[in-house]
Amino acid sequence: MSHHHDSKEPKQKKKVQVATGDRAILPEGATTIPVYIMGKRYEVPETLTIMKAMEYAGFKFLRGAGCRGGICGACPTVYRKPGDYKLHFGLACQTVVEPDMYLAQIPFYPANRAAYKIEDLEPNPEIIFSLYPELFRCVACNNCTKACPMGVDVLGYISALKQGDIARAAEISFDCIQCGMCASRCMGELPQYHIAQLARRMYGRAIMPRARHLAKRVEEIESGKYDEMLKSLQTMSHGELEKRYKEREREPDMAPNGTWLPANDPYL
Amino acid sequence: MKVSYYPGCTLKTKAKNLEDAAVASMAALGVDFEELTRWNCCGAVHSLADDDLIHQVAPVRDLVRAMEQGSDKVVTLCSMCYNTLARANLLMRQDEVKRKTINDFMNEEKDYHGEVEVLHFLNFLRDQVGWDTVRNAVKVPLNGLKVAMYYGCTLMRPRNVAIEPIGDTRIMGEFLEAIGAAPVDFPEATTCCGSYQILANPEAAHDVSGRILESAIRAGAEAMVLSCPLCEFNLSKKQPEVLKKNKISREVPVYYFTQLLAMALGLGQEACRFDLNSECSVELLKNKNFPV
Ligand code: SF4
Ligand code: SF4
Ligand code: SF4
Ligand code: FES
């Protein structure tokens, strides 16, 4: 029952359109398309994301939605398209519906996570091997990479880990949002994303070069260098704040990199 | 056409002495030896089950990577990687039906038909670099070092991937002569070291390893060379247990063949990595006044 808006047609009762939350934004004249959510057919406006289309169809998310911005990993969705044997994967909040897609959300997939205290761990591949011996069950089928909605080379980071290269694994897995799709498809039953997270934690804690300027700034903050200034801002009148804001120094828009410095610099 | 180098996981973790020595030697010889930029573990063991194609996927994927890199040859250092890659390659060349199944499964990759040739480093040295080039580059000839040539299984079996016809093996001897050492042939040169039995049945592995070490000693060897991290584990790392169980009174220094190459080329410790070998291996070289 797709309906088409036409300028001659009398306007239907105007829908409330809001830009945030779980309400769908329907563009003027949006047509609807059929999609199959867990096997049942629904007519939903095209141009919606899977997440909004599901909400339009009456689903309410208790789990399976978080950031709505493609970063929390709560909404991975599996779908197929007519006439295509391939499985497709996407984030419900980022993937636009297509006609006749069959879809189901998989908000959580069981995957064992080893218990450890990162502070106690040397950045040593042997420790990763002993916490996650499943690593060596990988057969390089690459199903994980095909399943990753973030386009992460999952086999790539698993291989890097088997090769003992923690830094490379951390780098390759950087875009991972822990959605679990790789684990759902793994022939070796690996919890890939948990292993990669351990690698990134080791990398961040012990391998990555420290930013010296950051340490210096933390030291300054702790020594109270900014206390006075912050207190004066907190107690400043609204008018004075506004005046300061308007008069603030600004870097000229097209200033070449590194050429501009503010005149007022005691806190730099 | 280019030659790609496939390292193998163990060479990046527990057998750095096998790899570092080879990479440095190739640089010293001015040979182009480009590591694959992407590769996965080859699986280590060729699956004999006729319908177990999933275990061919890993090695075939590595061959596809070499093809992608524009190479027509891929070289391995580890005997097991060699065996696994070479046998998967043979399958892709010879079995049309399985080739199609595997290519269809790996539909995200280019189709592969055996375009790349798999070489072991010894063959690469002989055929692409040449013994004369090696001989001319030697700075520290290993004069008087009597070395047992241990081939093990995976360089020699099965016949259709053997780096040389079994029963007519010369390559390790030619290599040792090129670097000035004295090759020692011995009856158990191609006997299995016990392989993964070291995990499930260590006693049995110690028995065969003992037989190999004893045979090398009896043939007059002072040391042994090999090219496989698992052989090295059984024959060297586990040697104390092996000697004890078989009541052998002499230790046998064990080296990767690439380490002797690097030493002969006059490369330093960062290349030779004798720090990763057993104590007696280092001592022997010191006693012979080699630069360690
Ligand atoms: S690597 Fe795995 S958990 Fe991470 S985003 Fe990709 S599929 Fe999700
Ligand atoms: S799905 Fe599992 S077995 Fe397959 S390549 Fe990825 S980690 Fe390896
Ligand atoms: S055979 Fe061994 S060294 Fe070679 S890739 Fe496989 S596990 Fe790594
Ligand atoms: S809701 Fe967070 S990634 Fe989709």
Side-chain angles (χ1 to χ4, degrees):
Chain A
M1 42 145 250
S2 78
H3 45 252
H4 191 82
H5 288 269
D6 196 80
S7 52
K8 274 178 238 152
E9 251 178 320
K11 275 248 165 86
Q12 291 187 329
K13 238 186 278 167
K14 197 155 174 84
K15 283 211 169 77
V16 188
Q17 298 186 357
V18 280
T20 55
D22 57 2
R23 217 69 68 82
I25 310 164
L26 294 188
E28 199 76 26
T31 51
T32 64
I33 55 170
V35 298
Y36 297 81
I37 302 169
M38 289 184 280
K40 186 172 163 15
R41 182 186 162 112
Y42 295 88
E43 287 287 335
V44 300
E46 62 177 5
T47 76
L48 292 189
T49 60
I50 290 172
M51 182 170 283
K52 291 207 167 154
M54 285 179 76
E55 284 166 334
Y56 180 89
F59 288 86
K60 192 167 178 179
F61 291 110
L62 298 176
R63 301 287 305 272
C67 66
R68 292 173 181 267
I71 205 70
C72 76
C75 65
T77 303
V78 190
Y79 59 96
R80 290 194 200 258
K81 302 186 212 179
D84 179 0
Y85 73 90
K86 284 185 92 62
L87 274 172
H88 296 268
F89 300 82
L91 296 172
C93 69
Q94 300 297 299
T95 311
V96 174
V97 285
E98 289 174 49
D100 295 312
M101 75 197 310
Y102 268 76
L103 66 90
Q105 238 197 346
I106 307 189
F108 177 80
Y109 200 87
N112 292 347
R113 183 169 51 191
Y116 53 80
K117 254 181 120 176
I118 192 69
E119 295 81 12
D120 300 343
L121 300 187
E122 288 296 314
N124 180 343
E126 294 295 332
I127 293 176
I128 300 183
F129 300 164
S130 65
L131 286 171
Y132 290 107
E134 307 94 301
L135 193 58
F136 293 94
R137 292 173 50 85
C138 170
V139 294
C141 68
N142 210 28
N143 282 353
C144 47
T145 307
K146 292 184 192 172
C148 180
M150 294 301 285
V152 171
D153 178 6
V154 187
L155 170 57
Y157 73 62
I158 289 297
S159 296
L161 286 172
K162 284 177 85 168
Q163 295 155 19
D165 196 338
I166 297 174
R168 189 164 148 83
E171 192 182 303
I172 300 176
S173 70
F174 183 77
D175 285 332
C176 171
I177 55 174
Q178 312 287 114
C179 76
M181 285 302 91
C182 47
S184 81
R185 294 287 296 151
C186 181
M187 284 201 160
E189 294 159 281
L190 277 72
Q192 298 96 323
Y193 59 108
H194 289 322
I195 315 180
Q197 186 177 53
L198 171 56
R200 288 194 303 280
R201 285 175 172 162
M202 282 183 167
Y203 179 74
R205 199 186 71 81
I207 302 176
M208 195 175 74
R210 301 279 116 190
R212 260 174 289 148
H213 62 283
L214 177 65
K216 187 170 154 253
R217 182 56 50 93
V218 170
E219 213 174 88
E220 285 171 356
I221 292 171
E222 281 170 351
S223 74
K225 178 171 174 186
Y226 301 97
D227 291 358
E228 275 307 304
M229 182 256 289
L230 283 171
K231 205 188 278 156
S232 84
L233 283 174
Q234 279 167 341
T235 51
M236 205 170 275
S237 74
H238 193 94
E240 175 65 11
L241 271 176
E242 223 171 64
K243 180 168 159 282
R244 291 251 194 135
Y245 182 74
K246 281 183 190 143
E247 288 168 0
R248 76 194 186 280
E249 287 183 82
R250 270 190 78 229
E251 178 172 10
D253 283 340
M254 302 307 282
N257 251 348
T259 54
W260 179 83
L261 280 175
N264 178 1
D265 64 358
Y267 294 110
L268 284 185
Chain B
M1 271 272 206
K2 267 199 316 196
V3 176
S4 288
Y5 159 53
Y6 173 83
C9 318
T10 312
L11 283 78
K12 296 287 181 193
T13 51
K14 295 185 176 74
K16 288 205 172 98
N17 38 353
L18 175 53
E19 172 174 55
D20 290 356
V23 171
S25 300
M26 287 303 94
L29 288 168
V31 176
D32 201 13
F33 197 59
E34 193 180 330
E35 179 175 332
L36 289 175
T37 42
R38 288 171 69 202
W39 54 274
N40 50 263
C41 172
C42 68
V45 181
H46 175 81
S47 175
L48 286 171
D50 205 38
D51 55 357
D52 180 24
L53 291 187
I54 191 64
H55 284 107
Q56 307 300 338
V57 165
V60 171
R61 202 181 292 285
D62 287 318
L63 298 170
V64 173
R65 295 281 169 268
M67 178 173 76
E68 270 174 2
Q69 225 174 53
S71 300
D72 64 351
K73 295 187 178 59
V74 61
V75 180
T76 78
L77 293 164
C78 162
S79 314
M80 294 186 81
C81 300
Y82 168 74
N83 193 274
T84 309
L85 292 177
R87 289 167 92 171
N89 207 28
L90 212 58
L91 181 114
M92 293 304 274
R93 283 180 177 181
Q94 295 178 345
D95 192 322
E96 213 176 305
V97 176
K98 289 187 177 137
R99 171 168 70 223
K100 183 169 178 343
T101 308
I102 291 172
N103 278 330
D104 284 351
F105 178 77
M106 297 170 59
N107 57 3
E108 75 278 25
E109 309 282 9
K110 288 204 187 85
D111 276 1
Y112 183 74
H113 315 82
E115 284 84 344
V116 175
E117 194 186 344
V118 181
L119 289 178
H120 187 260
F121 190 70
L122 281 168
N123 295 56
F124 176 73
L125 274 178
R126 183 190 61 195
D127 304 334
Q128 311 289 317
V129 181
W131 297 135
D132 284 338
T133 311
V134 174
R135 203 172 290 121
N136 293 334
V138 167
K139 298 215 168 67
V140 186
L142 309 189
N143 289 334
L145 189 64
K146 286 181 259 167
V147 189
M149 309 175 278
Y150 180 67
Y151 287 90
C153 311
T154 45
L155 291 180
M156 288 297 152
R157 299 182 185 84
R159 203 174 285 276
N160 55 10
V161 298
I163 66 166
E164 267 192 329
I166 194 160
D168 188 19
T169 44
R170 302 148 190 265
I171 197 162
M172 202 90 100
E174 290 166 359
F175 163 72
L176 288 171
E177 274 165 6
I179 58 173
V184 177
D185 205 354
F186 67 112
E188 310 284 353
T190 60
T191 300
C192 174
C193 67
S195 186
Y196 285 112
Q197 290 304 321
I198 192 68
L199 300 174
N201 192 352
E203 301 276 300
H206 293 344
D207 285 345
V208 274
S209 293
R211 218 162 65 219
I212 294 164
L213 293 175
E214 216 160 23
S215 164
I217 295 171
R218 220 175 287 139
E222 299 168 287
M224 181 179 277
V225 277
L226 40 71
S227 74
C228 168
L230 185 51
C231 302
E232 199 271 348
F233 184 77
N234 285 345
L235 292 169
S236 190
K237 299 248 168 19
K238 291 284 163 191
Q239 200 179 100
E241 285 98 313
V242 174
L243 297 183
K244 196 162 157 227
K245 173 145 200 292
N246 296 281
K247 304 203 170 56
I248 304 172
S249 55
R250 226 192 74 196
E251 286 180 303
V252 181
V254 175
Y255 311 102
Y256 288 118
F257 71 106
T258 55
Q259 294 182 281
L260 294 190
L261 173 62
M263 184 168 74
L265 294 175
L267 304 175
Q269 279 320 297
E270 344 52 86
C272 300
R273 298 305 305 270
F274 290 119
D275 57 312
L276 299 174
N277 293 57
S278 65
E279 242 170 74
C280 71
S281 317
V282 181
E283 251 160 54
L284 174 70
L285 299 178
K286 276 190 185 145
N287 292 341
K288 295 246 163 200
N289 285 323
F290 291 125
V292 277

